[in-house]
Amino acid sequence: MAGYRRKTPEEMLLSISKIHRGRLKIYVGAVSGSGKTYHMLREGQALMQQGIEVVICAVSTMRRPETVEQLADLERIPSIHWYKGDVEKKDLNLDAILERNPEVLLVDGLAHENRPDAKFPTRLEDIQFLLSHGISIITTVNVYELEGVTELAQKLTGITAECTVSADLLELADEVRLIDASPETILSRLNEGRLNNIKDLGLLKRGNLGKLREIALRLMAEGVNESLEKYREEQGFIGPSGATERILVAAQYHWNGSIYIRRGQQIAKRLGGDLEVVVFVDSSQEPTKERDDFKRSIMKLTEKVDAGFREILVNNRRQIPRALIKYAMLINATRIVMGHSKQTRAQEIAQGSIAGSVLKQMRNIDVFFMADRADHEGERVLPTKRSTPKMTAEPYRRLSAQEVEKKIERIRRGKFKVYVGAAPGVGKSYMMLREGNDLLRKEIDVVVGLMETHDRAETQDQAGRLEVVPRRTVECDGQVYSEMDVDAIIARNPEVVLIDELASTNAPSCRNKRRYEDVQEILDAGISVIATMNIHHLESLKDAVEQITGTAVKETVPDLMLRVADEVELIDVAPDTLQQRMREGQIYKMCDVEDALCGFFKTGNLIALRELALREIADDVDERLESWERNGSLRGPWRRHESIFVAVTVNKKAERLIRRGFRIAHRLKADWHVHYVQTDAVPGEEERIAELQELTARLGGTFEVEHNVSRNDVPAALLAKANALKSSQMVLGQSGQGFWSKLRNKCVVDTILRDGRHMDVLVVADFNPNIEIGEE
C-alpha cells in the first residue's frame, strides 16, 4: 500500500517545515456581501471558545449587524489606516501582530495592495511572512480577484478586479471553503442597505451575480477534484470516482475526426466534465502527407477546445479496443465517444468489430456512438451558428383560462428556498435557523415546522425566539411516530415555515408518504418554505452516490424540487472539518462515530460528495442563467434539438438507465421517453413495471409498454418506436448475453448499433467496483 512507502528526503524536509508553519484557511465568495467575513468571525469565536488565542486585524464589517455581532469579545490589533486617493485603506500592523504572537489571525481581503512604504507590497506577502512565523491565518477573497478567473470574469461581466492574487494559492492553502449565496440573497442585502461598500453596481446585476457564482462553484469543484484524484491515487483506487465526468473521444486522422471532437466538446460542456482526445496509429503503416495534415488539424482543434491529447501506437487494428479501454481506465474516463461502425455483419466477422470488442471489454465506462448524419443531414466539420428567433411580445393578446389559472397559482404559491449540503453535519439546519431569526427581526412571521437538531447545542441555540409548531403523534402497527403537523402549520398560516430534511419518509399512516410532498402542500397553501437536504438524496444522483460511497440511498427527493425552488444555496465544508465535527460528537452520537468515519464519512467519500454537490449546484445556477439571459450560460448553448429514448427491461439495471436518461435530457433541455418491450410474461412483472412508471413520472418523463413482441423482434420494435418519436439519442444497458445466447436470439445492442447508425446510441456500462486495468 502507498502508506508504507518511505518518504524521500525532500518530502521529509517539506513535512518538517509544515510543522513550524501556520495553517492557512481561505473563505471564497462570488462577490462582497456573500457572507465570507461573517463566517470567518464566527469561526474565530468557535476557536476562542476552545481556548485558542485569536486576534483580528484589518477586518471590515461594513457595519452589517449580523457581522458586527460576531466581533463580540475578539481581540483587535489596530490596523494601519491610509488613503489611496479619497478611499481609506487598512494594512496589517506586522510588528504589533508579531509582538502579540497569537495562534490565529483573522484578516479580510486577501487581494490587497499595501501602502507604498510598507514592508511588503501586498497582503498576500504579509500573510506568507506571518505563516512562516507560526501564526495561522484565516482570510477571505472574492473569486474574480483570483488570477486566471479575473480575465473570464471581465469577459462575462465587464467587472475588473482592483487587485489580484494567484489562483494557485488555493492549492497551497490548508483549507478552502466556499460561501455560497444566491443572487436573490445578495440583492435582498443590497435593498436593505447592507452593501454600501460596493461602488461598482454593475457587479450586482442579477446575471453578473449568477455568472460569478457559477465560476466560484466550478473553480471549487476543480480544486476538490484534484484533491480527490490525489487521494484515490495514494489509496491505489482505479477507475472513475463517480463525482465528475471525463469524456474520452476516440478520433482518427481523417476528415470526420474534427466532428467527433466537436461533439465530445459539446457533451463535456453540458455535463460539466473534462475532455480528452486519443488517436490510435498503426505503426506498420508509413506516414503520408494527408495524415500529417489531419494530425496538425486535430492537434490544433484539441488545443482550441482545451482538451488533452494522446497518440498511441498499435501494431494492428485488432489491438485498438483493448488499448482504448486500458487508456480510458488509466485516465478515469466515464464516457468514450466514438463513431458508429460502417462494416457489414460479414465484414465484422471477418475483420473484427472495434465497437463490438469495446463493448465486450468495457467496465464501468459508458460508450457513446455518434450518429453518422453526414448522409442524412450533410453535417459539417465545424458547427454552424444557429439563428435564434426573436421573442415577440403580445401584450394585447387575451390569456386563456388555463394561462390565467397558472399565473394565479404562481402568485398564490409560497416562495421556496433550499439549503443543500454534501453530507450531514455541514451546517444546513444552522443556516436555515439563522435566516429564520433574521426574518423574525424584520418582523416577518416565521415558525419552525420541523427541526432536526440531532442534539447539536449550536443548532439548538440558533433556534432563538423562533416559534415551534408542535409535532403530532401518529400510531401505526403498534409503533408511535412523531411527525410534522401539516394541518397545524396551514391553520397557523405563518408567512414562512422552516422544515428540515426534505427527503425524510413519513409514518405509514400519514397523508403524504414523503416530507417533500408535505412541503408542496404547504407551498400551495401560500406559505413560504425554507428547507434543507443533502445532495446524496437527489433522485437522479442515486446511482452516482452509491458508486461513490458503496451505500444504498433509501430516501430520495425528485430533481423537480430543486428546479422549482426560487433559491438554492450550498453549504460547503471541507472533509477534514466535517470529520473533526464527527469526532467531537457534533453530528452523530459518540457510539456511532467510529462506524461513520470508517463508512460513509471516509475521506474519499466526503471529497467526492463535496465535488458532486459543487458541480450539481453549479449546473443549477447555469440552468437559471439560461432562463434569465439568452447568452447567460457558461456552458454555451446546446445547438441541436434532442429527444432521448431510453430502452429498459424489468431487471435491476432499469432504474439506473432511467436516471441516466433523465440527467442527459435535463442537461440538453430535451424531451425524453422510456420504453419497455414485453416478450414473455414473468412473475412480478406488473409490479415492476409500476415501479418504473412511477420513477419515470417522478422525474418528468413518459413511460410506455409495448406488448406481445417476439424476442428477435425487440431491436426492430425499439428502433421503430424511437424513429416514430424522432429520437436523436437512444440509451441502452450493456448486454449480458453470452456467445450461445446471441446465436439463438438477436443481441439488442449489436442489432441497434448496426441498424440505428442514423442516431446517437449511449450504452451504459454495468457498474463493478472491483475492476483492475486491463481486466477482461
Side-chain angles (χ1 to χ4, degrees), residues 27 33-45 59-61 64-71 74 106 108 140 177 179 189 194 430-431 433-435 438 441 458 462:
Y27 281 97
S34 56
K36 303 181 300 296
T37 304
Y38 169 89
H39 284 278
M40 178 181 71
L41 293 173
R42 181 183 156 213
E43 182 169 1
Q45 291 286 352
V59 171
S60 301
T61 64
R64 297 168 190 154
E66 73 280 5
T67 308
V68 172
E69 282 179 15
Q70 294 300 319
L71 287 174
L74 288 172
L106 312 183
D108 248 336
T140 66
R177 180 180 171 189
I179 302 302
R189 291 170 183 171
R194 294 154 66 185
Y430 177 93
M431 290 301 296
L433 293 168
R434 176 199 159 196
E435 182 167 1
D438 288 344
R441 281 192 285 268
E458 191 179 30
Q462 190 61 31

Short mmCIF file of all heavy atoms in Angstrom, two decimals, residues 27 33-45 59-61 64-71 74 106 108 140 177 179 189 194 430-431 433-435 438 441 458 462:
data_model
loop_
_atom_site.label_atom_id
_atom_site.label_comp_id
_atom_site.label_asym_id
_atom_site.label_seq_id
_atom_site.Cartn_x
_atom_site.Cartn_y
_atom_site.Cartn_z
N TYR A 27 -11.65 31.70 2.92
CA TYR A 27 -13.08 31.72 2.58
C TYR A 27 -13.23 32.41 1.23
O TYR A 27 -12.79 33.53 1.05
CB TYR A 27 -13.88 32.48 3.63
CG TYR A 27 -14.15 31.70 4.90
CD1 TYR A 27 -13.35 31.84 6.02
CD2 TYR A 27 -15.23 30.83 4.98
CE1 TYR A 27 -13.61 31.13 7.19
CE2 TYR A 27 -15.49 30.11 6.13
CZ TYR A 27 -14.69 30.26 7.24
OH TYR A 27 -14.94 29.56 8.38
N GLY A 33 -20.28 40.73 0.23
CA GLY A 33 -21.66 40.62 0.71
C GLY A 33 -22.20 39.22 0.71
O GLY A 33 -23.34 38.98 1.11
N SER A 34 -21.37 38.24 0.30
CA SER A 34 -21.85 36.85 0.28
C SER A 34 -21.79 36.21 1.67
O SER A 34 -22.37 35.15 1.88
CB SER A 34 -21.03 36.02 -0.72
OG SER A 34 -19.66 36.09 -0.42
N GLY A 35 -21.07 36.84 2.61
CA GLY A 35 -21.05 36.32 3.98
C GLY A 35 -19.71 35.77 4.42
O GLY A 35 -19.61 35.09 5.45
N LYS A 36 -18.64 36.04 3.67
CA LYS A 36 -17.31 35.49 4.00
C LYS A 36 -16.82 35.98 5.36
O LYS A 36 -16.36 35.18 6.19
CB LYS A 36 -16.30 35.89 2.92
CG LYS A 36 -16.66 35.47 1.52
CD LYS A 36 -15.62 35.88 0.52
CE LYS A 36 -15.40 37.38 0.46
NZ LYS A 36 -16.59 38.13 0.01
N THR A 37 -16.92 37.29 5.59
CA THR A 37 -16.43 37.86 6.86
C THR A 37 -17.23 37.33 8.03
O THR A 37 -16.68 37.01 9.09
CB THR A 37 -16.49 39.39 6.81
OG1 THR A 37 -15.76 39.85 5.67
CG2 THR A 37 -15.91 40.00 8.06
N TYR A 38 -18.54 37.22 7.87
CA TYR A 38 -19.40 36.69 8.93
C TYR A 38 -18.94 35.30 9.34
O TYR A 38 -18.75 35.01 10.54
CB TYR A 38 -20.85 36.64 8.45
CG TYR A 38 -21.78 35.87 9.37
CD1 TYR A 38 -22.43 36.51 10.42
CD2 TYR A 38 -22.00 34.50 9.19
CE1 TYR A 38 -23.27 35.79 11.27
CE2 TYR A 38 -22.83 33.79 10.03
CZ TYR A 38 -23.46 34.44 11.07
OH TYR A 38 -24.28 33.74 11.91
N HIS A 39 -18.72 34.42 8.37
CA HIS A 39 -18.32 33.04 8.68
C HIS A 39 -16.90 32.99 9.24
O HIS A 39 -16.61 32.15 10.11
CB HIS A 39 -18.44 32.18 7.43
CG HIS A 39 -19.86 31.82 7.10
ND1 HIS A 39 -20.52 30.79 7.69
CD2 HIS A 39 -20.75 32.39 6.25
CE1 HIS A 39 -21.76 30.70 7.22
NE2 HIS A 39 -21.92 31.68 6.34
N MET A 40 -16.02 33.86 8.77
CA MET A 40 -14.67 33.90 9.31
C MET A 40 -14.69 34.29 10.78
O MET A 40 -14.04 33.65 11.62
CB MET A 40 -13.82 34.90 8.51
CG MET A 40 -12.40 35.06 9.02
SD MET A 40 -11.45 36.28 8.08
CE MET A 40 -12.26 37.82 8.64
N LEU A 41 -15.46 35.33 11.12
CA LEU A 41 -15.55 35.77 12.51
C LEU A 41 -16.25 34.73 13.38
O LEU A 41 -15.87 34.52 14.54
CB LEU A 41 -16.30 37.11 12.59
CG LEU A 41 -15.59 38.30 11.94
CD1 LEU A 41 -16.50 39.52 11.93
CD2 LEU A 41 -14.30 38.62 12.69
N ARG A 42 -17.26 34.08 12.82
CA ARG A 42 -17.96 33.03 13.56
C ARG A 42 -16.99 31.89 13.89
O ARG A 42 -17.01 31.35 15.01
CB ARG A 42 -19.12 32.52 12.71
CG ARG A 42 -19.94 31.44 13.41
CD ARG A 42 -21.03 30.93 12.49
NE ARG A 42 -21.40 29.58 12.90
CZ ARG A 42 -21.80 28.62 12.08
NH1 ARG A 42 -21.89 28.85 10.80
NH2 ARG A 42 -22.11 27.44 12.53
N GLU A 43 -16.12 31.54 12.94
CA GLU A 43 -15.12 30.50 13.23
C GLU A 43 -14.14 30.98 14.29
O GLU A 43 -13.71 30.21 15.15
CB GLU A 43 -14.37 30.11 11.96
CG GLU A 43 -13.36 29.01 12.20
CD GLU A 43 -12.78 28.41 10.94
OE1 GLU A 43 -13.14 28.85 9.85
OE2 GLU A 43 -11.95 27.48 11.06
N GLY A 44 -13.78 32.27 14.23
CA GLY A 44 -12.89 32.83 15.26
C GLY A 44 -13.49 32.69 16.65
O GLY A 44 -12.80 32.35 17.62
N GLN A 45 -14.80 32.94 16.78
CA GLN A 45 -15.49 32.80 18.05
C GLN A 45 -15.43 31.35 18.54
O GLN A 45 -15.18 31.08 19.73
CB GLN A 45 -16.95 33.24 17.91
CG GLN A 45 -17.15 34.73 17.69
CD GLN A 45 -16.93 35.52 18.95
OE1 GLN A 45 -16.78 34.98 20.04
NE2 GLN A 45 -16.88 36.84 18.82
N VAL A 59 -10.07 43.91 9.54
CA VAL A 59 -11.34 43.26 9.25
C VAL A 59 -12.40 44.33 9.05
O VAL A 59 -12.54 45.23 9.88
CB VAL A 59 -11.77 42.31 10.39
CG1 VAL A 59 -13.20 41.83 10.18
CG2 VAL A 59 -10.81 41.13 10.46
N SER A 60 -13.14 44.26 7.96
CA SER A 60 -14.16 45.26 7.64
C SER A 60 -15.55 44.64 7.74
O SER A 60 -15.90 43.77 6.94
CB SER A 60 -13.94 45.80 6.21
OG SER A 60 -12.66 46.38 6.09
N THR A 61 -16.32 45.06 8.73
CA THR A 61 -17.68 44.53 8.90
C THR A 61 -18.69 45.29 8.05
O THR A 61 -19.81 44.82 7.87
CB THR A 61 -18.12 44.65 10.37
OG1 THR A 61 -18.18 46.04 10.73
CG2 THR A 61 -17.14 43.92 11.28
N ARG A 64 -22.46 45.81 8.99
CA ARG A 64 -23.57 44.87 8.80
C ARG A 64 -23.89 44.25 10.16
O ARG A 64 -23.01 43.64 10.77
CB ARG A 64 -23.19 43.80 7.78
CG ARG A 64 -22.92 44.37 6.40
CD ARG A 64 -22.28 43.37 5.47
NE ARG A 64 -21.84 44.02 4.24
CZ ARG A 64 -20.85 43.59 3.47
NH1 ARG A 64 -20.19 42.50 3.79
NH2 ARG A 64 -20.52 44.24 2.37
N PRO A 65 -25.13 44.39 10.66
CA PRO A 65 -25.47 43.99 12.03
C PRO A 65 -25.05 42.56 12.38
O PRO A 65 -24.45 42.32 13.43
CB PRO A 65 -26.99 44.15 12.08
CG PRO A 65 -27.30 45.16 11.02
CD PRO A 65 -26.29 44.94 9.94
N GLU A 66 -25.37 41.60 11.50
CA GLU A 66 -25.08 40.21 11.83
C GLU A 66 -23.57 39.96 11.88
O GLU A 66 -23.10 39.10 12.63
CB GLU A 66 -25.75 39.25 10.83
CG GLU A 66 -25.14 39.20 9.44
CD GLU A 66 -25.56 40.35 8.54
OE1 GLU A 66 -26.26 41.27 9.02
OE2 GLU A 66 -25.19 40.34 7.36
N THR A 67 -22.80 40.74 11.10
CA THR A 67 -21.34 40.59 11.12
C THR A 67 -20.75 41.26 12.35
O THR A 67 -19.85 40.72 13.00
CB THR A 67 -20.71 41.19 9.84
OG1 THR A 67 -21.37 40.64 8.70
CG2 THR A 67 -19.23 40.87 9.75
N VAL A 68 -21.26 42.43 12.69
CA VAL A 68 -20.79 43.15 13.88
C VAL A 68 -21.02 42.30 15.13
O VAL A 68 -20.18 42.27 16.04
CB VAL A 68 -21.51 44.52 14.01
CG1 VAL A 68 -21.18 45.18 15.35
CG2 VAL A 68 -21.12 45.44 12.86
N GLU A 69 -22.16 41.58 15.17
CA GLU A 69 -22.46 40.71 16.32
C GLU A 69 -21.36 39.69 16.55
O GLU A 69 -21.06 39.31 17.69
CB GLU A 69 -23.78 39.98 16.10
CG GLU A 69 -25.02 40.82 16.34
CD GLU A 69 -26.28 40.04 16.07
OE1 GLU A 69 -26.19 38.79 15.97
OE2 GLU A 69 -27.35 40.65 15.94
N GLN A 70 -20.74 39.21 15.46
CA GLN A 70 -19.73 38.16 15.57
C GLN A 70 -18.39 38.67 16.10
O GLN A 70 -17.52 37.87 16.44
CB GLN A 70 -19.52 37.49 14.20
CG GLN A 70 -20.72 36.71 13.70
CD GLN A 70 -21.12 35.59 14.65
OE1 GLN A 70 -20.28 34.89 15.20
NE2 GLN A 70 -22.43 35.44 14.86
N LEU A 71 -18.22 40.01 16.14
CA LEU A 71 -16.97 40.55 16.71
C LEU A 71 -16.87 40.22 18.19
O LEU A 71 -15.82 39.81 18.68
CB LEU A 71 -16.90 42.07 16.50
CG LEU A 71 -16.62 42.54 15.07
CD1 LEU A 71 -16.73 44.05 14.98
CD2 LEU A 71 -15.23 42.11 14.64
N LEU A 74 -13.72 39.28 20.47
CA LEU A 74 -12.49 39.03 19.74
C LEU A 74 -11.51 40.19 19.92
O LEU A 74 -11.87 41.36 19.77
CB LEU A 74 -12.78 38.82 18.24
CG LEU A 74 -13.47 37.51 17.85
CD1 LEU A 74 -13.88 37.53 16.38
CD2 LEU A 74 -12.54 36.33 18.13
N LEU A 106 -7.28 36.62 12.13
CA LEU A 106 -8.35 36.77 11.14
C LEU A 106 -8.13 38.08 10.40
O LEU A 106 -7.99 39.14 11.02
CB LEU A 106 -9.73 36.80 11.82
CG LEU A 106 -10.05 35.71 12.86
CD1 LEU A 106 -11.48 35.88 13.35
CD2 LEU A 106 -9.85 34.32 12.26
N ASP A 108 -9.32 40.25 6.65
CA ASP A 108 -10.15 40.33 5.45
C ASP A 108 -9.30 40.64 4.22
O ASP A 108 -8.15 41.06 4.34
CB ASP A 108 -11.18 41.46 5.62
CG ASP A 108 -12.60 40.92 5.72
OD1 ASP A 108 -12.84 39.81 5.24
OD2 ASP A 108 -13.46 41.63 6.29
N THR A 140 -10.14 36.02 3.59
CA THR A 140 -11.24 35.97 2.62
C THR A 140 -10.78 36.51 1.26
O THR A 140 -9.85 37.31 1.18
CB THR A 140 -12.43 36.84 3.08
OG1 THR A 140 -12.03 38.22 3.11
CG2 THR A 140 -12.90 36.44 4.47
N ARG A 177 -12.87 27.10 1.75
CA ARG A 177 -14.31 26.89 1.90
C ARG A 177 -15.05 27.95 1.09
O ARG A 177 -14.72 29.13 1.14
CB ARG A 177 -14.72 26.99 3.37
CG ARG A 177 -16.22 26.77 3.58
CD ARG A 177 -16.64 26.86 5.02
NE ARG A 177 -18.08 26.87 5.14
CZ ARG A 177 -18.75 27.10 6.26
NH1 ARG A 177 -18.07 27.31 7.38
NH2 ARG A 177 -20.07 27.11 6.28
N ILE A 179 -18.29 30.15 0.36
CA ILE A 179 -19.51 30.68 0.97
C ILE A 179 -20.45 31.03 -0.18
O ILE A 179 -20.24 31.99 -0.92
CB ILE A 179 -19.22 31.93 1.83
CG1 ILE A 179 -18.21 31.59 2.92
CG2 ILE A 179 -20.51 32.46 2.44
CD1 ILE A 179 -18.64 30.48 3.86
N ARG A 189 -29.90 41.84 0.36
CA ARG A 189 -28.99 42.59 1.24
C ARG A 189 -28.71 43.98 0.69
O ARG A 189 -28.57 44.95 1.45
CB ARG A 189 -27.69 41.81 1.42
CG ARG A 189 -27.86 40.53 2.22
CD ARG A 189 -26.62 39.64 2.19
NE ARG A 189 -26.87 38.40 2.92
CZ ARG A 189 -26.05 37.36 2.93
NH1 ARG A 189 -24.92 37.39 2.24
NH2 ARG A 189 -26.36 36.27 3.63
N ARG A 194 -27.26 47.01 3.10
CA ARG A 194 -26.16 46.35 3.81
C ARG A 194 -24.93 46.17 2.93
O ARG A 194 -23.95 45.58 3.36
CB ARG A 194 -26.63 44.98 4.31
CG ARG A 194 -27.71 45.10 5.38
CD ARG A 194 -28.61 43.88 5.44
NE ARG A 194 -27.92 42.69 5.88
CZ ARG A 194 -28.47 41.47 5.92
NH1 ARG A 194 -29.73 41.33 5.50
NH2 ARG A 194 -27.79 40.45 6.33
N TYR A 430 -28.39 24.92 10.83
CA TYR A 430 -27.93 26.16 11.48
C TYR A 430 -28.23 27.36 10.59
O TYR A 430 -28.75 28.38 11.06
CB TYR A 430 -26.43 26.06 11.75
CG TYR A 430 -25.83 27.31 12.37
CD1 TYR A 430 -25.72 27.44 13.75
CD2 TYR A 430 -25.39 28.34 11.57
CE1 TYR A 430 -25.19 28.58 14.31
CE2 TYR A 430 -24.85 29.49 12.11
CZ TYR A 430 -24.75 29.60 13.48
OH TYR A 430 -24.23 30.75 14.03
N MET A 431 -27.89 27.25 9.29
CA MET A 431 -28.11 28.38 8.39
C MET A 431 -29.60 28.64 8.17
O MET A 431 -30.02 29.80 8.05
CB MET A 431 -27.42 28.09 7.05
CG MET A 431 -25.90 28.13 7.12
SD MET A 431 -25.27 29.72 7.69
CE MET A 431 -25.81 30.79 6.37
N LEU A 433 -31.99 28.11 10.38
CA LEU A 433 -32.48 28.77 11.60
C LEU A 433 -31.94 30.20 11.70
O LEU A 433 -32.66 31.10 12.15
CB LEU A 433 -32.06 27.96 12.82
CG LEU A 433 -32.71 26.58 12.95
CD1 LEU A 433 -32.01 25.75 14.02
CD2 LEU A 433 -34.19 26.72 13.26
N ARG A 434 -30.71 30.39 11.28
CA ARG A 434 -30.15 31.75 11.29
C ARG A 434 -30.97 32.67 10.39
O ARG A 434 -31.30 33.80 10.76
CB ARG A 434 -28.70 31.71 10.81
CG ARG A 434 -28.06 33.08 10.69
CD ARG A 434 -26.83 33.07 9.81
NE ARG A 434 -26.53 34.39 9.31
CZ ARG A 434 -25.73 34.66 8.31
NH1 ARG A 434 -25.13 33.68 7.67
NH2 ARG A 434 -25.53 35.90 7.90
N GLU A 435 -31.33 32.18 9.20
CA GLU A 435 -32.14 33.01 8.30
C GLU A 435 -33.53 33.24 8.90
O GLU A 435 -34.09 34.33 8.76
CB GLU A 435 -32.27 32.35 6.93
CG GLU A 435 -33.05 33.21 5.96
CD GLU A 435 -32.94 32.77 4.52
OE1 GLU A 435 -32.26 31.76 4.25
OE2 GLU A 435 -33.54 33.43 3.66
N ASP A 438 -33.18 36.04 11.28
CA ASP A 438 -33.01 37.31 10.54
C ASP A 438 -34.36 37.82 10.07
O ASP A 438 -34.66 39.03 10.16
CB ASP A 438 -32.08 37.12 9.34
CG ASP A 438 -30.63 36.94 9.74
OD1 ASP A 438 -30.30 37.27 10.91
OD2 ASP A 438 -29.83 36.47 8.91
N ARG A 441 -36.42 39.25 12.93
CA ARG A 441 -36.01 40.61 13.29
C ARG A 441 -36.61 41.66 12.35
O ARG A 441 -36.76 42.82 12.71
CB ARG A 441 -34.49 40.71 13.30
CG ARG A 441 -33.83 40.14 14.56
CD ARG A 441 -32.37 40.53 14.65
NE ARG A 441 -31.55 39.76 13.72
CZ ARG A 441 -30.95 38.62 14.03
NH1 ARG A 441 -31.09 38.10 15.25
NH2 ARG A 441 -30.22 37.98 13.14
N GLU A 458 -25.10 24.03 19.24
CA GLU A 458 -25.01 25.25 18.44
C GLU A 458 -26.28 25.45 17.60
O GLU A 458 -26.78 26.57 17.48
CB GLU A 458 -23.79 25.16 17.51
CG GLU A 458 -23.45 26.47 16.82
CD GLU A 458 -22.23 26.34 15.93
OE1 GLU A 458 -22.00 25.24 15.40
OE2 GLU A 458 -21.50 27.34 15.76
N GLN A 462 -29.30 28.35 18.02
CA GLN A 462 -29.64 29.21 16.90
C GLN A 462 -31.15 29.32 16.72
O GLN A 462 -31.63 30.25 16.07
CB GLN A 462 -29.00 28.66 15.60
CG GLN A 462 -29.08 29.58 14.40
CD GLN A 462 -28.37 30.90 14.62
OE1 GLN A 462 -27.39 30.98 15.35
NE2 GLN A 462 -28.88 31.97 14.01
#
